[in-house]
Structures are given as C-alpha cells and as structure tokens.
Amino acid sequence: MLGVLQVHFSGGEPLLRRDLVVLVGHATKAGLYVNLITSGIRLDADRLSGLVEAGLEHVQLSLQDSEPGSGDRIAGLAGAQLAKRQAAASSAPRGCR
C-alpha cells in the first residue's frame, strides 16, 4: 500500500499565498512532513516563526548565483540576493549562523 508521507510547498512562489500558514497547519495535522521550497525573498523572521509554529520542518532556498549583482539580475529584482541571504541566516539552525 502506498501512502503520502510529505508535502512540499513550492512555486511559483508559495510565500505569496496568504493562507500558507493554514495549509502548513493542515498538512502537519495530517501527519505529513512539511517542506517549503522558496526564493526566500518574502521570508522574514515573523513569517518563518508562524510557519514553524504551524509545523514547517524544512526550508529549501533557491539561489541563482553566488554573486549579488548577477543573482539580482537573474532573479529580476534588485536586492534579491541580500533578501535570500537574510532568509538563509534567519532559517539556519542555531549554531549554524
């Protein structure tokens, strides 16, 4: 018998959904391992905290380049690389920052 063990919220950009915390909560209550695949651009500390409280267990950030200039150009948004780095820092486990 096959079963569902995990759910991955991915793009477009899942952080654009206003109901993402609710969806994560429902998935958690269903016993699923919850993963977020995101650009991280809209992932601030408050949003992350709400998602973790709802049951989020894993975050995967999409980076297009290691260099800020080309990363911003590829993302099509000035400051994208900085926002992604800030999201990575705020979502890293303690001791990995």
Side-chain angles (χ1 to χ4, degrees), residues 22-43:
V22 173
L23 294 172
V24 168
H26 285 300
T28 300
K29 287 177 187 168
L32 300 173
Y33 178 90
V34 181
N35 180 36
L36 173 65
I37 303 170
T38 178
S39 70
I41 291 173
R42 296 173 182 258
L43 188 61

Side-chain angles (χ1 to χ4, degrees), residues 10-65:
S10 65
E13 176 50 60
L15 290 174
L16 293 175
R17 293 192 61 105
R18 289 186 213 127
D19 62 347
L20 185 59
V21 170
V22 173
L23 294 172
V24 168
H26 285 300
T28 300
K29 287 177 187 168
L32 300 173
Y33 178 90
V34 181
N35 180 36
L36 173 65
I37 303 170
T38 178
S39 70
I41 291 173
R42 296 173 182 258
L43 188 61
D44 61 24
D46 289 338
R47 189 85 190 269
L48 180 61
S49 179
L51 289 165
V52 169
E53 286 178 25
L56 180 67
E57 297 182 67
H58 181 261
V59 175
Q60 178 179 329
L61 292 174
S62 298
L63 298 170
Q64 285 73 34
D65 200 318

